């Protein structure tokens, strides 16, 4: 006799649950829509959605994201809070580089973030520099409770940008440990960070890995903007290829073979035809 539980399992359809953290159908808003160099729209552009519905799908490579900033500002804590939803107060300093991979589903397309958490100690700067190249996104982190770490973040960002002169990565300036500040201190640091971000042409965020404040929203925004940039880049490459192929076809159809022309004239003269 088939058990009741087994009959239920056979009859019930399999339901695939999407992780709301990594399943995106709309463009997440900026932390401060009035202070971002990137899209301020409430959704992905209609043209982007239309292009993604075409038969030719863009092939998206994993997006390289590097985290830079002083030691102990909370880079590792940010990544671990998002990837594993956990926080430890006694993180050990990163030696060299740590790596995490997070997969997203954006508008039905798979998109991966390769997150490179670099060491914030000067003695590891030469090692970390080797991982800066070919970054699509740079996150410069600073401790909101330590003003000097903001100035250091600018230097770390400048160093990372020097390794990526051939392309223009997305840049984020992120203040961590927001939970350690009073309301007045928090507002003051946000004003300072807003000015710094504008000078750096970066989008700024304030987060807390301990409480989880704005962590998910930040990574969703980062992934969505990186996805949008990657798709646009692929579409431009496809359009350039199509244009090149059209031009080559037109050139071939207009080519005039002089050997054939003079050969036909010679044959006609030999046959006595004057036309």
């Amino acid at each position: 006799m088939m058990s009741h539980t087994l009959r239920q399992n056979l009859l019930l359809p399999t339901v695939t649950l999407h992780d709301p953290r990594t399943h995106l159908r709309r463009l997440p808003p900026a932390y401060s829509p009035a202070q971002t160099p990137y899209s301020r729209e409430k959704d992905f552009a209609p043209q982007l959605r239309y292009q993604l519905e075409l038969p030719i799908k863009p092939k998206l490579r994993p997006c390289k994201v590097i985290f830079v900033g002083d030691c102990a500002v909370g880079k590792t804590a940010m990544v671990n809070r998002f990837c594993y939803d956990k926080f430890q107060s006694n993180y050990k300093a990163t030696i060299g580089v740590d790596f995490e991979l997070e997969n997203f589903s954006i508008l039905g397309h798979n998109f991966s973030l390769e997150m490179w958490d670099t060491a914030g100690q000067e003695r590891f700067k030469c090692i970390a520099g080797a991982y800066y190249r070919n970054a699509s996104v740079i996150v410069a982190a600073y401790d909101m409770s330590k003003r000097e770490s903001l100035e250091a973040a600018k230097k770390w960002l400048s160093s990372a940008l020097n390794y990526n002169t051939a392309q223009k990565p997305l840049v984020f300036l992120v203040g961590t440990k927001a939970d350690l500040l009073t309301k007045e201190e928090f507002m003051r640091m946000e004003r300072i960070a807003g000015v710094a971000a504008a000078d750096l042409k970066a989008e700024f965020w304030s987060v807390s890995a301990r409480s989880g404040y704005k962590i998910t929203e930040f990574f969703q925004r980062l992934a969505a903007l990186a996805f949008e940039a990657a798709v646009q880049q692929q579409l431009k490459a496809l359009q350039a290829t199509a244009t090149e192929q059209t031009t080559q076809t037109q050139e071939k159809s207009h080519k005039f073979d002089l050997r054939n022309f003079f050969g036909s004239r010679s044959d006609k003269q030999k046959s006595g035809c004057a036309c």
Side-chain angles (χ1 to χ4, degrees), residues 87-124:
F87 174 80
Q88 295 176 341
S89 57
N90 57 343
Y91 281 108
K92 294 181 179 180
T94 301
I95 298 177
V97 176
D98 283 342
F99 174 83
E100 294 290 348
L101 180 68
E102 189 69 44
N103 297 314
F104 284 78
S105 174
I106 305 179
L107 296 179
H109 293 259
N110 294 327
F111 188 64
S112 300
L113 294 185
E114 292 181 347
M115 294 181 279
W116 299 81
D117 174 15
T118 64
Q121 299 172 342
E122 284 292 333
R123 62 195 178 105
F124 293 122

Side-chain angles (χ1 to χ4, degrees), residues 5-121:
T5 304
L6 182 58
R7 287 201 305 271
Q8 281 188 325
N9 290 339
L10 290 174
L11 293 174
L12 289 175
T14 303
V15 179
T16 303
L17 298 178
H18 297 295
D19 186 345
R21 298 177 315 112
T22 57
H23 189 77
L24 305 179
R25 299 298 302 176
R26 301 183 69 86
L27 177 66
Y31 181 79
S32 175
Q35 292 180 297
T36 175
Y38 308 124
S39 176
R40 300 180 185 180
E41 300 297 328
K42 295 182 180 180
D43 196 6
F44 294 106
Q47 183 182 6
L48 182 74
R49 287 180 175 272
Y50 170 76
Q51 293 290 344
L52 290 173
E53 296 297 329
L54 295 178
I56 302 177
K57 305 297 183 184
K59 296 180 180 179
L60 302 177
R61 296 179 178 180
C63 172
K64 184 176 182 178
V65 184
I66 58 173
F67 291 77
V68 299
D70 270 354
C71 182
V73 297
K75 301 185 296 295
T76 302
M78 270 197 301
V79 174
N80 284 348
R81 168 60 84 177
F82 180 72
C83 293
Y84 305 108
D85 194 23
K86 67 178 183 180
F87 174 80
Q88 295 176 341
S89 57
N90 57 343
Y91 281 108
K92 294 181 179 180
T94 301
I95 298 177
V97 176
D98 283 342
F99 174 83
E100 294 290 348
L101 180 68
E102 189 69 44
N103 297 314
F104 284 78
S105 174
I106 305 179
L107 296 179
H109 293 259
N110 294 327
F111 188 64
S112 300
L113 294 185
E114 292 181 347
M115 294 181 279
W116 299 81
D117 174 15
T118 64
Q121 299 172 342

Side-chain angles (χ1 to χ4, degrees), residues 101 118 148 157 270:
L101 180 68
T118 64
E148 64 274 14
L157 175 59
K270 288 178 181 180

